[in-house]
Amino acid sequence: MIIIKTKNLLLKETTAHDFEIINEWENDEEIIFYSEENSFEPQTLKETKKILGKMLKKDMIHLIITNKKSNQPIGYCMLACIDKFHRRAKIGITIGSKTEWGKSYGQEALVGLLNYAFNKVKLNRITAEVYSFNKRALKMFKRLGFKQEGKIRANIRKKNIYYDEMILGLLKKEWKNKINQNSFSFVT
């Protein structure tokens, strides 16, 4: 069982116990707008369980994010498409509890996950794919040291508008330099 602790958060492997809250977030149109879903279509709990069940069996680490103070789940994060030969993966995060937006919990969770990815999983490279309209996420990833490596033009359609998808990358050596320079206050 993977457990990652930061100053304010606890990240632990997603289990069937977490499916109900994830289903609630997956049925929120505002939250889904920022995710990879093609369109907003409500999911039943059974559908969420089926999707998550398949995801958790793949080359993926999927973690529920819990606020230590309230002991309530506030979101989830993941390493997906883990390639152990090339030592690379994709990273993603959703803060599903809207009352926790704007409190830097997404960044704090990703610092914990990045430390785990580079030090325990021994990855060399992590990629983030962020929609061009998601300015908060783009800013956060850049604060964490990610560099924009590309742009896929008009790759995502949301509410009949096409948006670019930004490709950002972070190398292990860049992360080590960032940690040494910045020492994020919420790392334990």
Side-chain angles (χ1 to χ4, degrees):
M1 166 77 72
I2 298 169
I3 297 175
I4 301 169
K5 296 177 183 178
T6 68
K7 182 179 178 183
N8 300 297
L9 305 173
L10 179 68
L11 287 65
K12 61 182 178 63
E13 283 183 89
T14 302
T15 65
H17 176 74
D18 304 308
F19 290 177
E20 195 169 317
I21 188 69
I22 293 171
N23 177 256
E24 187 179 307
W25 297 329
E26 294 295 317
N27 280 297
D28 185 303
E29 191 170 0
E30 186 177 9
I31 293 168
I32 289 304
F33 186 75
Y34 293 96
S35 81
E36 288 190 35
E37 301 297 323
N38 293 330
S39 63
F40 178 70
E41 293 179 24
Q43 280 182 6
T44 66
L45 181 56
K46 185 177 179 180
E47 290 169 326
T48 299
K49 286 179 180 180
K50 184 178 177 182
I51 292 166
L52 285 171
K54 286 180 183 178
M55 286 174 57
L56 297 177
K57 291 178 184 175
K58 293 184 177 184
D59 291 335
M60 173 181 278
I61 295 171
H62 196 284
L63 306 170
I64 197 82
I65 304 167
T66 300
N67 181 316
K68 285 181 180 178
K69 190 174 185 179
S70 68
N71 200 33
Q72 294 298 309
I74 64 167
Y76 58 87
C77 58
M78 70 191 85
L79 291 172
C81 305
I82 298 170
D83 183 329
K84 291 180 180 176
F85 179 79
H86 293 291
R87 297 182 185 260
R88 64 185 178 204
K90 293 182 179 182
I91 197 166
I93 187 162
T94 296
I95 301 297
S97 178
K98 293 181 194 176
T99 59
E100 304 297 343
W101 287 6
K103 297 181 181 179
S104 297
Y105 289 148
Q107 183 173 324
E108 182 174 343
L110 287 181
V111 167
L113 183 55
L114 287 166
N115 280 331
Y116 183 85
F118 288 127
N119 298 321
K120 301 289 186 194
V121 184
K122 305 290 186 200
L123 297 179
N124 182 60
R125 173 189 173 72
I126 298 178
T127 302
E129 298 169 350
V130 183
Y131 305 143
S132 59
F133 61 80
N134 194 344
K135 303 298 184 198
R136 286 188 309 178
L138 286 167
K139 187 176 176 183
M140 176 188 65
F141 279 108
K142 288 179 180 177
R143 267 195 315 264
L144 290 169
F146 281 77
K147 309 267 189 281
Q148 184 173 326
E149 298 177 334
K151 173 171 67 174
I152 305 172
R153 297 177 301 127
N155 194 47
I156 301 298
R157 191 180 86 173
K158 298 280 186 174
K159 297 182 179 180
N160 285 324
I161 299 171
Y162 286 92
Y163 295 97
D164 299 338
E165 188 169 17
M166 314 312 282
I167 308 302
L168 301 113
L170 180 66
L171 302 178
K172 182 176 185 173
K173 65 183 178 183
E174 294 166 339
W175 178 245
K176 282 185 174 183
N177 288 338
K178 187 72 172 174
I179 285 291
N180 290 337
Q181 293 169 6
N182 204 332
S183 83
F184 297 100
S185 62
F186 35 71
V187 177
T188 60

